Amino acid sequence: MSDPMRPPVSHHHPEPTSLRPGPSRSRASLRTAVVWEVLQEALERRVKATGRESLDVLDTGGGSGNFAVPAARLGHRVTVVDPSPNALFALERRAAEAGVADRVKGVQGDAHGLFDVAERGGYDAVLCHGVLEYVDDPAEGVRNAVAALRPEGVLSLLAAGLGGAVLARALAGHFKEAKQALDDPNGRWGTGDPVPRRFTAEQLTGLVEGAGLRVGAVHGVRVFADLVPGVLVDTEPGALEALLKLEEAAAELSAFHSVATQLHVLGETGGAAETSEAGETGGAVEA
């Protein structure tokens, strides 16, 4: 049986042109801003390390291009693998509207058969966002993502967090469901739960390290964004930007990882980790 990277019906959330919120932008951008900041910095490091302005990026389960199109805007070549034809059609349209159609390629496929449609060992960066929740074997999904990396590359892994779901159910007054999610091996709160699997930060970092990568960073995503009433953010002047700054400040603190709606792990191959450390050392010497 093939491991779907997403359910047949697309669950991608449309994002604004920029992932950084502004006065006229929606709360949707807030949900990806922290991840994008980390990813953009990682891509910049790879550009400096390789000496190439354009990287090869693989976005598994990338759907309509929430991250692929912004990455292409930076000048990178992005291949998006997704099982949904509708999502890939939306990706094509979105890339064309952004003027990056020549740098974005969408192909239909899934995590289990990734190398039927993607090149093994051919990418400087691999995005695996919202995939592990749906595959039959998360460890295999991570191994495949890592196998797609070049000897010096980075993996951006984003998955649903267990603690965030428990907290959300409890705050909604569904205490039995919160307890069910806490006790369930897959972190599900019941048969009506649309997410097949959730993770702790320890589980995700274990998968990344088990696939042979060094964990470069762990971030909690949507720690507060899903809990704050929308009317408060939409009507209070400056609230959106203030909430973003709060999310960014809390994202790196391990104390908040256990209550985040999503968890982001940045993994690096041995070669990439060495060049990153060398670059940081060089910067310190120059200063």
Side-chain angles (χ1 to χ4, degrees), residues 17 58 74 83 117-118 129 131 141 153 174 177 197 217 248 284:
T17 301
L58 176 65
L74 296 178
V117 295
H129 296 173
V131 171
H174 303 300
E177 291 180 350
R197 186 183 292 107
E248 290 176 335

Side-chain angles (χ1 to χ4, degrees), residues 122-279:
Y123 304 92
D124 300 289
V126 174
L127 281 57
C128 186
H129 296 173
V131 171
L132 298 188
E133 296 92 324
Y134 301 100
V135 297
D136 290 339
D137 186 349
E140 180 194 35
V142 176
R143 287 195 301 269
N144 282 351
V146 172
L149 286 171
R150 286 174 174 153
E152 296 183 359
V154 294
L155 170 68
S156 176
L157 183 65
L158 182 68
L162 170 62
V166 173
L167 182 61
R169 300 316 290 176
L171 291 178
H174 303 300
F175 306 121
K176 290 183 179 179
E177 291 180 350
K179 181 63 164 54
Q180 171 68 19
L182 197 59
D183 294 338
D184 187 82
N186 291 320
R188 305 189 73 226
W189 48 256
T191 57
D193 192 337
V195 180
R197 186 183 292 107
R198 295 184 178 86
F199 301 86
T200 64
E202 291 75 19
Q203 288 173 329
L204 287 181
T205 55
L207 288 173
V208 170
E209 291 173 339
L213 297 190
R214 182 186 80 98
V215 174
V218 180
H219 291 83
V221 180
R222 292 158 60 182
V223 176
F224 308 104
D226 292 347
L227 302 176
V228 176
V231 64
L232 177 62
V233 177
D234 296 336
T235 59
E236 186 71 22
L240 185 61
E241 188 67 23
L243 181 55
L244 172 60
K245 290 180 179 178
L246 178 61
E247 287 279 354
E248 290 176 335
E252 295 187 57
L253 300 178
S254 59
F256 290 97
H257 294 169
S258 59
V259 294
T261 300
Q262 293 179 313
L263 294 165
H264 182 246
V265 178
L266 190 71
E268 300 175 315
T269 63
E274 290 172 7
T275 54
S276 294
E277 291 170 358

Side-chain angles (χ1 to χ4, degrees), residues 2-3 5 58 60 79 81 107-123 126 139-150 155:
S2 175
D3 287 347
M5 290 195 297
L58 176 65
T60 62
T79 298
V81 178
V107 292
Q108 190 171 2
D110 59 32
H112 181 72
L114 182 61
F115 299 113
D116 293 337
V117 295
E119 180 183 355
R120 186 182 295 271
Y123 304 92
V126 174
E140 180 194 35
V142 176
R143 287 195 301 269
N144 282 351
V146 172
L149 286 171
R150 286 174 174 153
L155 170 68

